[in-house]
Amino acid sequence: QVQLAESGGGLVQPGGSLRLSCAASGRIFGFNVMAWYRQAPGKQRDVVAFITSGGSTNYADSVKGRFTISRDNAKNTVYLQMNSLKPEDTAVYYCNFLYGEISWGQGTQVTVSS
């Protein structure tokens, strides 16, 4: 019933910023911990950050201090603000429930390159 759609990716220079959005077609309910994932070519899909319904956040060490996850429950949307981007951040970014994940969308491509 719930569908998630990622957007906001693109090409950015090292040190630049992007803001990703994850919009739900319906109200997000059930498993309330939302997460951003990323997957680079030939690599596993890793959790980048997650946020609870109460707003508690956690980050992978590789992005801590540079990325900020947030959610707007009224807009049924989760965001990932990415600052000080590095080439190593290049990947397809996905959102999903951290627990009880639903089918994966197409994600949004983030490319960090000069």
Side-chain angles (χ1 to χ4, degrees):
Q1 183 177 13
V2 175
Q3 297 179 11
L4 303 173
E6 304 91 346
S7 63
L11 174 64
V12 65
Q13 295 180 340
S17 298
L18 285 173
R19 192 192 194 201
L20 308 184
S21 297
C22 173
S25 61
R27 293 299 304 270
I28 300 175
F29 60 93
F31 301 102
N32 293 323
V33 182
M34 299 299 302
W36 281 97
Y37 303 76
R38 68 184 182 187
Q39 185 171 31
K43 303 294 183 180
Q44 66 179 327
R45 179 159 45 214
D46 295 327
V47 176
V48 174
F50 63 85
I51 183 169
T52 70
S53 60
S56 180
T57 60
N58 281 275
Y59 301 90
D61 288 341
S62 59
V63 307
K64 195 170 186 177
R66 300 186 298 117
F67 291 10
T68 303
I69 187 172
S70 62
R71 64 192 298 169
D72 187 333
N73 291 331
K75 295 182 178 180
N76 224 26
T77 302
V78 182
Y79 304 96
L80 186 67
Q81 178 66 47
M82 306 186 297
N83 299 325
S84 302
L85 283 162
K86 305 175 180 179
E88 308 94 270
D89 297 318
T90 296
V92 178
Y93 285 71
Y94 304 86
C95 63
N96 215 322
F97 302 109
L98 184 63
Y99 305 106
E101 65 191 35
I102 61 176
S103 60
W104 297 94
Q106 63 181 9
T108 185
Q109 176 72 49
V110 172
T111 302
V112 185
S113 176
S114 298

